[in-house]
Amino acid sequence: MYRRATRTLPGGTDSNFRAWGEKTIYVDRGKGGLVWDIDGNEFVDLRMGYGPVILGHGDDRVDDYVNERMRRGVSFSLTSEDEVRAMELVCELTGWVEMARMTVSGTEATMHTMRVARAFTGRTKIVKFEGQYHGLHDYALISVTPNDVADLGSADNPVGLAWGRGIPEAVARTVVPARYNNIEFLRRLFERDADDIAAVIVEPVLGNAQGILPQPGFHEAMRALTREFGILLIFDEVKTGFRLARGGAAEYFGVTPDLGTFAKAMGNGYPAAAFGGRRDIMSLMPDKVSHGGTYAGNRVAAAAAVKTLEIIRDTDALATIHGTGTAIRAGVKDAIDRKGLAFTFTGHPSMFGIVFSDVVPTEYRDWANTDHELYDAIAVLMQANGAMPEPDSREPWFICEAHAEGDIVDRVVTAFREALDQALEDRAHQRAGVERSGAKASLNTS
């Protein structure tokens, strides 16, 4: 399938993030917390589509509702009650969003939110944090993912590093990198450039580096600082929204931003996304700010959002997810402790990372200095043991409601334990081989 796909799809996939060369996996189906590849291999899915599948693959409650609604037609470029109801639920669950609009992806949501922020403030620049991911538009692909932190410039004066070619320098200059969890850096930046800064956009949890959490008081201080300088605060809740809590990270951390973006968990895998916030800002549309999209608010996405958000609101799904994540972490901790390795969990039980380091990471530069080679090796070996995390330590494990079913928790912990054993054994063999090679070279020299 890989060879067939590469003839028509660059890299053999529809996303750079799915292209793993000859090891690229092609999926057949999923149900609950499990997926099957086209060869029939079964895996516990710890990727969950990078987070959207909050309830489980093929959730009958959501799919049955979507199927019933879609039979009335899908795409009209007219507004349906489904769209209105979906955005009412976003406002209800968050408690702070006053107006919102639907779009199709998180990338579109952050792109439109940045535009609205620039229009409202009359300023040009957007501050974002190193290592944070806000989608694939040009204004988001700055200082996202270098392995070598030297590429990011000095700690006191980071450079805006474009991720890949094709991003105009004039666009890149409007995005200013900052350091996550460093409020003093942010203050100095504001004191220097506040008159040009429209907004700060932040993943409340640094989802692109295994879910690094904010230091106590960081979000509160950032909220106060943005108000002091007249800068808008955007919470990019594409990953955290309706996952950390019913009201997302804003509820979980007790901080109210001005604007927010949502996607992923709001549709249980269907392509539903939204952006919203204060009424006075959002009211710039439709007269003063452009926003649209042929598929924005299509009935499939809107219906999926309605049913998914109702389930999150009306059931204990999130409590189940959080409890399952806690149970998995307990088993993983026991396995690592038996080996005497230094490590820490990052993130929240519903989306967490495993970082091999004796230093708790607080920003992307810290993550880059951890033993992510060991983690990546474990993740690859876990696939052979029937569990599938992302084979890249930037991505956290995502937990869904269906992971609580049957023996899934035990299967994940067993797969991790066996993969850890094998990865450490492989590393020991590699080091022994290097030492033998070194010894031979020394003898030959002497």
Side-chain angles (χ1 to χ4, degrees):
M1 183 62 72
Y2 172 73
R3 295 185 182 94
R4 172 184 165 189
T6 53
R7 291 197 290 268
T8 49
L9 283 70
T13 69
D14 279 316
S15 168
N16 291 3
F17 305 116
R18 307 171 200 164
W20 305 341
E22 290 282 349
K23 296 179 181 179
T24 297
I25 289 175
Y26 292 85
V27 69
D28 176 56
R29 68 192 189 281
K31 187 64 179 177
L34 306 174
V35 291
W36 290 262
D37 67 17
I38 60 172
D39 297 317
N41 298 305
E42 179 182 292
F43 305 91
V44 177
D45 188 3
L46 297 170
R47 299 169 71 253
M48 305 312 295
Y50 294 127
V53 188
I54 188 80
L55 303 174
H57 295 293
D59 184 271
D60 293 335
R61 298 164 294 181
V62 177
D63 290 355
D64 288 348
Y65 184 75
V66 170
N67 288 337
E68 185 274 320
R69 298 300 293 173
M70 70 186 289
R71 292 191 180 97
R72 301 183 181 208
V74 171
S75 188
F76 304 98
S77 285
L78 296 168
T79 303
S80 70
E81 184 181 359
D82 302 88
E83 299 165 62
V84 177
R85 182 65 187 134
M87 295 304 93
E88 287 173 344
L89 284 163
V90 168
C91 294
E92 178 185 344
L93 267 68
T94 60
W96 65 270
V97 173
E98 296 176 315
M99 301 187 83
R101 273 194 176 183
M102 288 197 74
T103 184
V104 180
S105 68
T107 287
E108 292 175 66
T110 61
M111 178 181 69
H112 291 303
T113 305
M114 289 181 187
R115 182 185 300 135
V116 170
R118 290 192 293 263
F120 184 80
T121 61
R123 301 171 182 175
T124 302
K125 294 181 178 180
I126 304 290
V127 173
K128 63 92 64 184
F129 293 95
E130 291 178 336
Q132 297 213 335
Y133 175 74
H134 303 292
L136 270 297
H137 56 89
D138 287 354
Y139 293 93
L141 292 176
I142 305 298
S143 299
V144 179
T145 182
N147 283 324
D148 186 351
V149 296
D151 293 340
L152 293 170
S154 72
D156 293 328
N157 190 29
V159 298
L161 183 67
W163 189 15
R165 300 180 184 180
I167 299 170
E169 184 179 348
V171 171
R173 284 199 301 267
T174 68
V175 182
V176 183
R179 294 174 56 201
Y180 187 65
N181 271 325
N182 191 325
I183 200 67
E184 291 307 315
F185 178 95
L186 204 60
R187 173 170 284 281
R188 291 194 299 270
L189 178 60
F190 286 4
E191 289 173 345
R192 186 186 71 200
D193 295 330
D195 289 346
D196 293 327
I197 297 172
V200 175
I201 187 168
V202 60
E203 285 186 286
V205 173
L206 208 170
N208 209 48
Q210 292 189 300
I212 294 174
L213 289 168
Q215 293 291 93
F218 176 70
H219 286 327
E220 293 88 340
M222 181 166 53
R223 172 70 283 187
L225 201 59
T226 52
R227 284 184 174 139
E228 179 184 343
F229 285 90
I231 294 168
L232 299 183
L233 178 59
I234 304 168
F235 267 18
D236 179 2
E237 295 232 38
V238 166
K239 283 185 176 176
T240 56
F242 317 111
R243 174 174 282 277
L244 269 61
R246 289 185 173 93
E251 175 187 326
Y252 186 77
F253 294 116
V255 174
T256 302
D258 301 297
L259 292 165
T261 60
F262 308 93
K264 295 191 184 285
M266 72 179 286
N268 197 48
Y270 288 90
F275 64 103
R278 283 168 33 191
R279 184 176 302 275
D280 59 334
I281 302 173
M282 294 296 291
S283 292
L284 290 176
M285 297 175 289
D287 295 335
K288 295 175 180 170
V289 174
S290 295
H291 165 253
T294 299
Y295 302 111
N298 70 82
R299 178 158 274 156
V300 169
V306 167
K307 181 52 68 172
T308 302
L309 293 178
E310 286 181 347
I311 292 169
I312 289 172
R313 181 194 64 186
D314 298 337
T315 74
D316 61 356
L318 291 189
T320 299
I321 292 165
H322 300 170
T324 303
T326 299
I328 291 173
R329 295 208 303 189
V332 167
K333 181 180 186 303
D334 179 70
I336 300 174
D337 285 346
R338 289 171 184 261
K339 299 297 182 181
L341 297 173
F343 87 103
T344 187
F345 288 120
T346 51
H348 179 274
S350 67
M351 52 172 285
F352 63 88
I354 304 162
V355 177
F356 292 102
S357 173
D358 55 5
V359 176
V360 177
T362 62
E363 62 170 332
Y364 184 82
R365 293 174 186 240
D366 293 340
W367 170 87
N369 290 318
T370 65
D371 190 356
H372 44 85
E373 290 182 359
L374 175 59
Y375 175 88
D376 292 349
I378 293 168
V380 170
L381 289 166
M382 284 182 70
Q383 291 181 17
N385 295 328
M388 189 192 297
E390 178 73 5
D392 182 335
S393 61
R394 293 179 181 85
E395 283 291 331
W397 293 13
F398 289 100
I399 308 302
C400 76
E401 183 185 25
H403 281 141
E405 298 172 358
D407 63 348
I408 286 179
V409 170
D410 290 339
R411 289 171 63 181
V412 170
V413 172
T414 299
F416 178 86
R417 182 183 298 112
E418 293 176 354
L420 175 63
D421 289 346
Q422 186 63 54
L424 292 175
E425 183 178 339
D426 291 346
R427 175 171 282 192
H429 287 320
Q430 290 168 1
R431 288 176 175 171
V434 170
E435 289 174 359
R436 285 195 296 271
S437 298
K440 288 180 181 178
S442 177
L443 287 172
N444 292 335
T445 302
S446 61

